[in-house]
Amino acid sequence: MSGRIKTIGEVLNEAALMLRDYCENKEEDYKKIALMMLSQILNMEKTEVILNKGLPVEQDKYEKIVNAISKYLQDYPLQYCTNKAFFMGLELYVDENVLIPRFDTEVLVEVAIEIFKGRKNLYFLDIGTGSGCIAVALCKFLDCKVFAVDISERALEVARKNAKLNGVENRISFVRSNLFEDIPKNLRFDAIISNPPYISDEEIFELDPRVLKEPHIALFSKEDGLWFFREIANKAKLYLKDGGYIIFEVGFSQAEKVKEILKKNGYKNISSRRDLNNVERCIFAING
């Protein structure tokens, strides 16, 4: 893929050919992947790409497509190749410093919207903000401000970029903190929301190679994947308003264990919400 300026159609065909063998070995549709790459990098709808095959591809965009394919052939997730992800209908920037936002996590935001819809001047804490997807979505759909923390400064750089990209940078405070360590002790929140690392070390051998390209600090947890739930549930009560909520994303088969952790820590009205795959994905409760 080099030489003269090429048209969208030519680049699309070349991209598909470069991806074909790799994708067929993984039983993926190489034409679909190629179209998706061009769509995202050229900032066009997929139908626009197909209908405008005669248009030239600018050199900088062309180079991005070449680099995206090169990364994809090295088992990088598509989102890292194009630096784009979508969450609650919002476009986000992502790179290897943050976990890729997933549809499963949207359940947390949907629960928060259901609980707090119509209320004003809300204040939320987002622990392990990563790309900032939860904090940004909360600000887009609710009247709130968010205190968002992460242990990774590089992740916070991505989160700040996403807040600005979506026009909510003035409503989110991004702070580097290991859980609650650097959160001012006088702050009280209407809800503490977290999608913490919850994959156990033993599960590493079951993961897709692309998942392993994501930051391990955002994936893995000791104590059978439950360590962060115990830590957050225990200390969150010091930062929650009376009647405030704790809202967790949990892994497959972890729901009952996390409910028990919340019960032991004195939370009330412990409830759950299932994701699109009918997995109990979100556990939430009231600070009693």
Side-chain angles (χ1 to χ4, degrees):
M1 295 178 72
S2 61
R4 65 175 178 82
I5 297 295
K6 298 180 181 180
T7 65
I8 289 176
E10 290 173 326
V11 175
L12 183 61
N13 288 336
E14 290 187 32
L17 286 173
M18 290 181 69
L19 290 163
R20 183 176 61 188
D21 291 344
Y22 174 88
C23 290
E24 285 183 343
N25 286 336
K26 292 182 173 292
E27 299 183 347
E28 295 175 345
D29 186 335
Y30 63 94
K31 292 182 180 179
K32 181 178 179 181
I33 299 297
L35 178 59
M36 198 174 303
M37 279 190 181
L38 264 70
S39 170
Q40 294 190 15
I41 292 172
L42 298 177
N43 294 314
M44 301 171 72
E45 296 291 335
K46 286 181 279 189
T47 53
E48 289 183 279
V49 173
I50 294 169
L51 292 173
N52 292 280
K53 289 185 177 181
L55 293 180
V57 176
E58 296 174 3
Q59 187 62 29
D60 64 327
K61 299 288 188 182
Y62 184 79
E63 291 173 0
K64 286 183 180 180
I65 293 167
V66 173
N67 291 335
I69 292 172
S70 176
K71 289 185 74 170
Y72 197 77
L73 296 176
Q74 297 174 63
D75 283 335
Y76 280 88
L78 179 65
Q79 293 91 336
Y80 288 161
C81 300
T82 63
N83 295 123
K84 280 189 180 180
F86 298 90
F87 183 80
M88 295 291 295
L90 306 172
E91 181 181 315
L92 301 170
Y93 170 89
V94 293
D95 61 26
E96 291 87 338
N97 294 300
V98 298
L99 201 67
I100 295 168
R102 289 165 167 79
F103 291 123
D104 298 340
T105 307
E106 293 185 358
V107 180
L108 275 71
V109 178
E110 290 167 354
V111 165
I113 292 171
E114 183 179 306
I115 293 169
F116 294 103
K117 187 175 182 180
R119 291 175 57 177
K120 304 292 184 182
N121 301 315
L122 296 159
Y123 198 22
F124 298 136
L125 171 61
D126 176 18
I127 296 180
T129 194
S131 68
C133 63
I134 292 174
V136 169
L138 289 170
C139 287
K140 295 295 285 189
F141 295 105
L142 289 169
D143 182 355
C144 69
K145 291 184 178 180
V146 181
F147 195 92
V149 303
D150 202 287
I151 196 172
S152 167
E153 185 56 46
R154 289 184 177 181
L156 290 171
E157 290 173 7
V158 173
R160 292 186 187 101
K161 181 180 291 191
N162 284 321
K164 187 172 183 179
L165 179 66
N166 286 278
V168 294
E169 67 270 29
N170 294 330
R171 293 166 58 195
I172 307 176
S173 300
F174 291 106
V175 175
R176 186 177 184 275
S177 179
N178 182 7
L179 299 181
F180 296 94
E181 280 184 9
D182 294 295
I183 300 173
K185 298 191 185 309
N186 64 316
L187 295 184
R188 296 294 179 270
F189 300 97
D190 294 286
I192 294 175
I193 302 172
S194 183
N195 173 22
Y198 56 67
I199 300 174
S200 67
D201 291 335
E202 291 75 20
E203 294 176 275
I204 190 170
F205 302 106
E206 302 172 15
L207 297 177
D208 185 286
R210 288 186 190 138
V211 174
L212 293 175
K213 295 290 189 182
E214 299 186 62
H216 288 198
I217 195 173
L219 290 171
F220 297 103
S221 169
K222 54 189 175 183
E223 295 182 14
D224 296 328
L226 299 172
W227 186 84
F228 284 96
F229 298 116
R230 294 189 177 99
E231 286 292 301
I232 295 171
N234 177 256
K235 296 174 182 175
K237 296 179 78 67
L238 298 175
Y239 294 86
L240 279 170
K241 296 177 181 178
D242 290 339
Y245 280 79
I246 187 166
I247 305 174
F248 281 134
E249 175 176 331
V250 302
F252 181 77
S253 79
Q254 290 181 328
E256 293 306 315
K257 293 175 183 177
V258 173
K259 288 177 186 177
E260 188 60 31
I261 290 169
L262 291 173
K263 184 178 179 181
K264 286 181 179 178
N265 281 277
Y267 293 90
K268 308 296 182 184
N269 299 96
I270 300 169
S271 305
S272 68
R273 187 64 49 83
R274 294 180 179 272
D275 63 18
L276 293 176
N277 294 315
N278 202 35
V279 173
E280 275 190 290
R281 183 64 63 185
C282 177
I283 306 298
F284 54 104
I286 296 175
N287 180 30

